[in-house]
Amino acid sequence: MRVFLAGATGVVGRQLVPLLLAAGHRVTGVSRTPAGVARVRALGADAVRADALDAPGLRRAVAEAAPDVVIHQLTDLAEADGAANGRLRREGTRNLVDAAREAGVRRIVAQSICWAYAPGDGPADESVPLDPTEEQPRARMVAAVRALEETAAELETAVVLRHGILYGPGTWYAPGGPVAAALAGDPGARFLGSVEATTGVSSFLHVADAARAAVAALDWPGGPVNIVDDEPAPAAVWLPVLARALGAPAPAPGGAGQEWERGATNTLARSRGWRPARPSWRTGFFDQRD
């Protein structure tokens, strides 16, 4: 299968390229920079320089690659800028889907998130609607997620992978990353999240498991699928374990979490044969390797 991978040099993309090649697919990876193009080629894939916010350039890149499927792993999180990431979800996805349609592509696998669900009791499955809140800044974030998912669904088959909070190499939660700095008291640590040990529940996902899910999803039917580990947990439980894994001070107990902090289930993904190689953050936080 010919695969056009947008976001080939991101934390998931770097893991995904070798897996796709090992599975026998021909991969064209996209990067905005010459250095990124070189990294993709060093992994053994074809590479093209393009920017998802440059619609004409992206159309040319997709047309030249002539893929059977597009994989959307685009994020803009290096500077912890939620507005920039939201713009990429809205405009970058629109440009990518338009380019795919113009090139005759009928299938897309797109990265989304599992913490945009409406509030409720217990971990959310895929039948739960996205949060209708009007409270900012959450409403802007959910609106961008909704735009990404609805735009992807314009293609005939759109598999939307709703990831848990990513940890592992290159992420905010890796050793030496901004979460470790924040736990150590660095006021300049930049990431989108919190180090308050509240009752709010989250689901996690190692980047290698995210990459494995994207390969598996090439053959899945369309629709959203939660890609998370087996153990949703409150920050008051997982954050002290993360601190220990990072060699950082344990946070003081916090208060109540947000109503939408409920975690997610992976029952649907498991029914399709996907299993997290790191089923729990309890051990995964201590094993943040490739």
Side-chain angles (χ1 to χ4, degrees):
M1 188 180 294
R2 297 187 305 276
V3 178
F4 187 88
L5 175 55
T9 58
V11 295
V12 176
R14 295 196 295 268
Q15 305 263 345
L16 181 52
V17 170
L19 294 181
L20 290 168
L21 293 172
H25 301 294
R26 179 170 181 175
V27 180
T28 299
V30 183
S31 176
R32 291 179 296 177
T33 67
V37 167
R39 285 196 296 272
V40 173
R41 288 177 178 157
L43 293 172
D46 296 329
V48 61
R49 185 179 180 187
D51 187 332
L53 298 179
D54 172 15
L58 192 61
R59 285 199 302 271
R60 288 192 296 271
V62 176
E64 290 172 6
D68 301 301
V69 60
V70 165
I71 298 181
H72 177 345
Q73 295 285 349
L74 295 165
T75 60
D76 189 352
L77 292 168
E79 300 301 321
D81 185 339
N85 198 50
R87 182 187 179 201
L88 191 60
R89 283 175 172 154
R90 295 187 307 272
E91 299 178 27
T93 305
R94 166 51 61 202
N95 293 339
L96 186 60
V97 168
D98 287 349
R101 183 190 296 108
E102 189 172 304
V105 179
R106 301 167 68 180
R107 172 177 283 271
I108 186 170
V109 175
Q111 177 192 141
S112 186
I113 58 173
C114 78
W115 58 94
Y117 285 116
D121 295 328
D125 66 22
E126 294 82 357
S127 69
V128 175
L130 298 183
D131 196 342
T133 183
E134 297 181 358
E135 184 177 345
Q136 300 296 355
R138 180 165 171 80
R140 284 191 293 271
M141 183 274 287
V142 176
V145 170
R146 184 177 288 108
L148 181 156
E149 296 191 359
E150 291 179 351
T151 302
E154 293 174 11
L155 295 184
E156 182 176 311
T157 303
V159 186
V160 175
L161 304 179
R162 291 175 173 168
H163 289 173
I165 297 173
L166 291 173
Y167 71 95
T171 68
W172 290 330
Y173 293 80
V179 173
L183 286 168
D186 180 357
R190 298 184 64 183
F191 67 102
L192 300 177
S194 169
V195 290
E196 294 185 31
T198 70
T199 61
V201 175
S202 296
S203 285
F204 281 89
L205 178 68
H206 191 282
V207 289
D209 283 326
R212 290 175 48 251
V215 177
L218 292 174
D219 297 321
W220 288 355
V225 187
N226 293 333
I227 305 297
V228 298
D229 74 11
D230 295 344
E231 192 174 0
V237 175
W238 64 257
L239 195 52
V241 176
L242 177 65
R244 187 163 68 252
L246 299 177
Q258 301 294 322
E259 291 184 355
W260 51 264
E261 291 182 291
R262 57 187 298 187
T265 67
N266 62 16
T267 304
L268 178 57
R270 280 182 164 272
S271 75
R272 295 182 179 178
W274 178 83
R275 303 284 189 279
R278 292 169 174 83
S280 174
W281 46 267
R282 290 184 187 275
T283 53
F285 286 161
F286 294 89
D287 184 22
Q288 297 205 51
R289 300 170 296 174
D290 293 351

